[in-house]
Amino acid sequence: MTRMFGEPVTRVEDDRLLRGHGAYLDDLGHDALACAFVRSPHAHADVLDVDVTGALDVDGLVAIYTYEDLPGRLAEPLPLLIPHPALTHGRTQYALARGVVNHVGEPVVMVVARDRYLAEDAAERIIVTYRPLPAVVGIPAARAAEHLVHPDVPGNVAANLVQAVGDVESALAGAAHLLELDLSIERSASTPMEGRGVLARWDPESHRLRMWTSTQTSTGVRAAVAAKLGLALVDVDVITPDVGGGFGVKIMHPWPEELLAPWAAMLLGRPVKFVEDRREHFISSAHERAQQHHVRVGFDNDGHVLGLDVRFWHDHGAYIPYGLIVPIITSTQLLGPYKPGAYRVEFDSLYTNTLMVTPYRGAGRPQGVFVMERTMDAIAAFLGLDRALVRERNFIRPDEMPYDHGLMFQDGRPLIYDSGDYPASLEKLKKLVGWDEFEHVRDAARADGRRVGIGLACYVEGTGVGPYEGGHVVVETTGKVKVATGLTTQGQGHQTVFAQIVADELGVPMADVEVVTGDTRRFGYAVGTFASRAAVMSGSAIALAARAARAKALKVAAEALEVDAGDLEIVDGIVRVVGSPGAAISLGTVAVLSNPLRYAFDDAAKAATQFAVGDVSKPPVAEDDEPGVEGRGFFSPMQSTFASGMHAVVVETDPDTAEIKILRYCVVHDCGRLINPRIVEGQIHGGVAQGVGGALYERMVYDEAGQLQNASFMDFLMPYVSEVPERVEIDHLETPSPLNPLGIKGAGEAGVIPGAAAIASAIQDAEGFAITAMPISPSDLFELRRRHERAARANGGSHERSTAE
Amino acid sequence: MTEEQLHDVRLTVNGAAHQVRVPARRLLSDCLRHDVRLTGTHVGCEHGVCGACTVLVDGTPARSCLILAVTADGLDITTVEGLTEADGSLSPVQQAFEDCHGLQCGFCTPGFLTTITAGLRRKPDPTEAEAREMIGGNLCRCTGYQNIVRSVLRAAEIARARGSGS
Amino acid sequence: MKVSGDAMLHAPVEKVWTALNDPAVLVRTIPGCERLEATGPDSYRMVVTAGVASIRGTYAGEVLLSERSAPHSFLMTASGAGAPGTVSTEVRVLLADVGDGSTRLTYDADAVVGGVVAGVGQRMLVGVARRMAGEFFSSVDDVLTGAAPVAAVAPGVTPEPGVFVAPPTAARPFGGDAFVRGALVGAAIALAGVLVGGLLGRRRR
């Protein structure tokens, strides 16, 4: 039988999705009432009055709710999901605004009506009277704190956190050279093609709530909903339907709408559905990425970093329900594959009157990598050294693994790299992109009047974060294998890769394996899909569950065949004696025999009934045993497992228009062993596209009044096919993880993490001056050119190492 | 009490007639999804940019989120559900996506499938540049487009092999 | 849930008091009132079909008038039940002479609501209640000013004593006896008949 693990198997999800038979949230619940919200048009305002009179005439109106209607725990602020000792001033929103609104888009009034058109009609006619307050927008305004977002949060600082290893000030003082850099990254967002949605059905007869939500964590939503609505956990089902992309934004929970829709369903005795539109996604889901950094780095003549001091400011918007995860990831993953001697990182997480910030693919790493990699380039430029060489000199060596940085990671555990071979990755990358020969490419281009540049960036990513995931595998009497895990899927092909794992572990054809994810009815203990953890966590758990099921099957079969379990193998769903073609029994039959029956429900089941089998000297089910061929497994690692990678980019910039074109995009990627290479490659492609978007196109533009000026696809620019490189050249390294049974590492976010850094590096190489802010548009580049030309003229000639004419 | 006037509209979708009664402002995308109950056409932005809602109207790709259902009376509409072959097998474009891993979450996919189906009818043997051009108006957030471009070329290949014009 | 408001009625206080106590006026002016039946010296039973959108339904209710201090104030206690839900309410009514032959009426209602329609939200309920009250007072005002006469019984219908039925068509001449009976029955029932709410520990205002 072919081994499935490592094979680029065609996805089992595809057939029905290609036929248009997907079941995304809005495809469900045609009988449900619809919701619309009146959302704040102001970034900061007191809510003085809500007048619903005008809405009463709308045909099909069912209900109108404001904060005053919320009972019990629903009237409390939404949960602060991830507390941290440094998060001294955490503030979260109310499900509906309570007297004050803190960002454009904050929900104030909820309308329920027969359909969405009518709900919006009613919402439009509701008059809310606001008293606008000064809005705090952008990091400089937040820091200056002339106005406060929350009156009881001084300086708009939710948290200040310092992590340090070694004595950075001495290291900097003693270093031969010192550089200071100011770097900034703009706000962007996950922007999946499908927005958020919730469908809730309340059954008063059984007193149970059933919800569907387009989420990355069905167990998280279930727990929050049960808590806020005063329901027992066993009375709440949360099912994740097909999800049209998440990219981080859908890990945030509970959205106000995720609480309000089920609450309304209970009140009204009708199913209630909320599906946001695109504008709502822009102004009321979540953003990420905005940070400003100040770096001081001390290094020697060879480019070894002796001391690194990073001070940064993180804009987390009006509320901070997800805690400090993003800036903590920035703080720790900034180090990448390097060992910088002494390191100190300090950040302030700041409130602004803008949409809240929760993780977006990369979750703080793109910012950290941008900072570290610009710093490396700056060091190389200063010393006149090759940029790859400077990095190579600072790498952690393979024989230094596991490497303890002495810092605490986002999972509350020590930052210890378990495996990785950075020098080998760099070698592969240099070869792939032709790093050493690029001089010739550049010269040839220059001769043609063209401007090209090459850049690179390295990153390390902590994947497979805990606390745990679980898996369940059961063999049914038909021989079919049903698998369940609690985390969710948003296009990563979990139904395929987990089936591959089970097919191998159990010895069954993939076609006989069916996988369900994200349904609390099928598996109730889970954390969620984020931090590139699903394959590591659920893959491992499912492998363990399958092994347990296999052991059980062999035990039952051994008894039936009267052989030793050690002499048996399972191939293509048949349990047989190794080397002996005759003695065999199908897994389905084994499942029948594993469950001693009184009642035969079909012909096959007769074999397990009490007069057919059984040893009267023993109980039908042994004391330490259970009926059935099932396995349940949980995987809970000591720490994350660290994937890594490096990207190299060749760009061309137009000397006149400053347009930026990507000529080549090369990726070397180490995510340990690959379950399905095609799916991993797809994840990299997608990540690279988001990296390109973040480097060149995507930014949320808030004006000083806190109005989001580009809250639509017309003005928030995401890459089409024309914006992505024509090829993404990928080479793999596989340093297996020692931390899980499959030896794998996460791959989901890899593509996006170093994108901005690598592209900035290449543009800098093409232009000859430093790129310190992303994204960079042609206009930005044009402006930068002018500024540098002016500066160069003012200084009587160029002083920067120039690679372009 | 507001009350909307309803209009009788006969839609021909994937060759079948559907009689619906809708207000004038009902979008074709909503009508297909909620009145005709063909949910394969997806809504990503409602302002005509993302292309997820693309259907074929008399064979030409059109954004169903920018069409009022009442104006589609008498027009011949093809949605993703209508792309499969008569015997139920996947069309060359659908098969190509499966072969090339051209979809991940699948939300944007119906819009690509209809667009490419029409595109290959006009240009059955595209170059890679032409393939990119063909899908240049559709957004995808998952795949980074690399495998979608491959899918276009593979679809042309499959169509040729099957001897049909797809 | 508390609802309060006021209205200007273009007639002297005594006339207003009389009108508000006349069942023939009430059955005609209470929004959606179909039937009004005296069940005692100070009480009525009525059937009202009223409401807005999902709140709309047919409610059977009882009204009791008390603490009367003619022609200026009284208290009305009412309760109603219908498919969409239930309500019980207390309404305090004050009539004040404005001086130019008009009367200023103020009402203060405290209601508790229950049932399926209970969950439509405070503001919607209050909004609907105020609207119905406004419609009621407006109709009463029309009757007082003669703009909308109260009809005699329709031909062919033999009314039971003490039962008043809403006319099937519009305006009819005013002519009923004035009963010194629960004023603002109509307003109270208007409030009562449409108000629902108060599940899950809703706060009372």
Side-chain angles (χ1 to χ4, degrees), chain B residues 42-108:
Chain B
H42 300 145
V43 175
C45 70
E46 280 183 322
H47 43 273
V49 175
C50 76
C53 71
T54 306
V55 297
L56 301 180
V57 176
D58 290 341
T60 306
R63 307 289 206 226
S64 61
C65 74
L66 295 181
I67 298 174
L68 298 175
V70 290
T71 65
D73 188 298
L75 298 176
D76 194 18
I77 299 167
T78 308
T79 68
V80 60
E81 292 96 334
L83 295 181
T84 47
E85 301 290 333
D87 66 358
S89 59
L90 297 179
S91 73
V93 180
Q94 290 168 319
Q95 186 62 53
F97 268 70
E98 190 179 84
D99 292 348
C100 298
H101 187 33
L103 68 153
Q104 290 181 24
C105 82
F107 197 76
C108 71

Side-chain angles (χ1 to χ4, degrees), chain A residues 57 61-62 64-65 68-69, chain C residues 52-54 119-120 122-123 131:
Chain A
D57 286 317
L61 174 68
V62 174
I64 301 175
Y65 305 112
E68 292 77 23
D69 292 306
Chain C
V52 160
S54 58
V120 302
Q122 292 264 21
R123 291 177 195 267
R131 165 176 302 191

Side-chain angles (χ1 to χ4, degrees), chain A residues 104-181:
Chain A
V104 168
E106 184 164 352
V108 182
V109 186
M110 176 181 184
V111 174
V112 182
R114 192 167 67 228
D115 70 39
R116 174 79 182 201
Y117 290 72
L118 300 172
E120 288 188 15
D121 286 346
E124 265 170 35
R125 290 160 184 237
I126 292 172
I127 300 172
V128 181
T129 309
Y130 300 95
R131 176 173 50 221
L133 299 167
V136 179
V137 182
I139 290 174
R143 287 175 66 183
E146 192 191 320
H147 301 290
L148 296 179
V149 174
H150 299 285
D152 56 353
V153 178
N156 292 312
V157 179
N160 170 279
L161 180 59
V162 180
Q163 292 208 63
V165 179
D167 183 348
V168 107
E169 289 307 324
S170 316
L172 292 177
H177 308 287
L178 184 67
L179 281 179
E180 287 193 46
L181 297 95

Side-chain angles (χ1 to χ4, degrees), chain A residues 724-797:
Chain A
V724 300
E726 286 184 12
R727 296 258 166 290
V728 176
E729 301 164 65
I730 304 175
D731 198 358
H732 289 289
L733 199 71
E734 286 188 26
T735 64
S737 169
L739 299 179
N740 60 72
L742 301 174
I744 59 182
K745 302 178 185 176
E749 291 164 274
V752 75
I753 293 169
I759 292 172
S761 180
I763 295 172
Q764 172 158 335
D765 187 50
E767 297 289 321
F769 49 77
I771 306 293
T772 57
M774 295 303 262
I776 182 162
S777 66
S779 325
D780 296 328
L781 183 57
F782 191 83
E783 209 30 64
L784 274 176
R785 277 180 184 168
R786 292 217 321 218
R787 219 186 298 159
H788 283 274
E789 277 160 24
R790 271 198 298 264
R793 275 198 302 272
N795 287 337

Side-chain angles (χ1 to χ4, degrees), chain A residues 394-728:
Chain A
N394 284 286
F395 278 163
I396 296 164
R397 307 274 140 212
D399 56 24
E400 289 175 291
M401 293 293 183
Y403 188 86
D404 185 346
H405 281 282
L407 302 168
M408 186 179 309
F409 190 42
Q410 64 133 333
D411 55 359
R413 294 180 167 251
L415 185 71
I416 301 175
Y417 292 176
D418 54 289
S419 55
D421 189 343
Y422 311 131
S425 291
L426 185 59
E427 272 318 297
K428 278 194 178 241
L429 183 68
K430 285 169 68 177
K431 196 187 269 169
L432 183 60
V433 77
W435 180 266
D436 291 329
E437 298 75 44
F438 191 74
E439 193 100 32
H440 306 300
V441 174
R442 198 190 291 119
D443 291 342
R446 193 178 306 159
D448 266 344
R450 291 166 57 217
R451 214 179 271 201
V452 300
I454 191 169
L456 85 159
C458 311
Y459 70 91
V460 169
E461 183 193 358
T463 66
V465 173
Y468 68 87
E469 282 302 329
H472 178 251
V473 173
V474 61
V475 179
E476 298 201 328
T477 57
T478 54
K480 299 286 186 209
V481 183
K482 304 297 179 187
V483 180
T485 185
L487 55 59
T488 59
T489 308
Q490 299 80 34
Q492 303 92 332
H494 292 155
Q495 290 181 298
T496 304
V497 299
F498 296 154
Q500 286 176 258
I501 292 174
V502 173
D504 276 357
E505 295 284 345
L506 207 44
V508 296
M510 247 190 84
D512 285 346
V513 181
E514 188 189 71
V515 177
V516 168
T517 64
D519 185 337
T520 61
R521 299 171 300 183
R522 289 289 298 272
F523 204 92
Y525 285 106
V527 183
T529 301
F530 57 94
S532 306
R533 71 193 291 277
V536 174
M537 303 300 293
S538 282
S540 297
I542 285 171
L544 295 173
R547 289 174 195 178
R550 180 174 191 275
K552 180 64 184 292
L554 292 184
K555 179 162 153 219
V556 171
E559 254 181 63
L561 293 173
E562 292 175 335
V563 296
D564 198 67
D567 294 331
L568 292 172
E569 62 177 0
I570 310 179
V571 177
D572 276 334
I574 308 287
V575 186
R576 63 186 192 206
V577 176
V578 179
S580 168
I585 180 172
S586 76
L587 261 186
T589 306
V590 173
V592 170
L593 295 175
S594 71
N595 183 16
L597 293 176
R598 183 171 168 82
Y599 307 111
F601 53 85
D602 64 18
D603 257 357
K606 288 178 185 168
T609 52
Q610 61 205 23
F611 293 109
V613 289
D615 179 346
V616 301
S617 71
K618 296 189 241 176
V621 179
E623 208 179 286
D624 60 346
D625 202 359
E626 290 176 6
V629 179
E630 270 188 74
R632 217 158 108 108
F634 286 91
F635 180 68
S636 180
M638 278 295 289
Q639 56 159 85
S640 309
T641 177
F642 286 84
S644 63
M646 309 184 177
H647 292 197
V649 181
V650 177
V651 301
E652 175 164 359
T653 57
D654 188 296
D656 301 312
T657 65
E659 271 182 83
I660 301 156
K661 185 170 151 69
I662 297 172
L663 298 181
R664 290 188 66 198
Y665 201 107
C666 297
V667 172
V668 168
H669 179 241
D670 178 4
C671 64
R673 300 175 64 215
L674 305 178
I675 305 172
N676 187 322
R678 187 182 289 173
I679 287 182
V680 172
E681 196 181 73
Q683 290 294 311
I684 295 176
H685 291 166
V688 166
Q690 282 179 314
V692 170
L696 302 175
Y697 304 102
E698 296 171 20
R699 90 173 71 201
M700 290 293 173
V701 180
Y702 275 96
D703 69 11
E704 51 193 31
Q707 295 295 328
L708 183 59
Q709 309 219 284
N710 59 344
S712 83
F713 285 162
M714 292 179 284
D715 299 312
F716 177 77
L717 305 177
M718 299 195 323
Y720 285 92
V721 68
S722 38
E723 282 68 58
V724 300
E726 286 184 12
R727 296 258 166 290
V728 176

Side-chain angles (χ1 to χ4, degrees), chain A residues 44 89 91-92 102 148-154 156 317-319 351 353:
Chain A
H44 198 192
H89 292 75
R91 300 285 176 274
T92 61
N102 284 303
L148 296 179
V149 174
H150 299 285
D152 56 353
V153 178
N156 292 312
Y319 302 110
Y351 286 102
N353 285 113

Side-chain angles (χ1 to χ4, degrees), chain A residues 50 52-53 56-57 61-66 68-71 263 267-268, chain C residues 52-54 116 119-124 127-128 131 199-200 202-203 205:
Chain A
V50 177
V52 308
T53 323
L56 299 177
D57 286 317
L61 174 68
V62 174
I64 301 175
Y65 305 112
T66 57
E68 292 77 23
D69 292 306
L70 304 180
W263 171 65
L267 278 187
L268 300 170
Chain C
V52 160
S54 58
V116 169
V120 302
Q122 292 264 21
R123 291 177 195 267
M124 187 164 164
V128 170
R131 165 176 302 191
L199 213 55
L200 295 185
R202 174 187 301 284
R203 296 173 208 136
R205 295 289 155 117

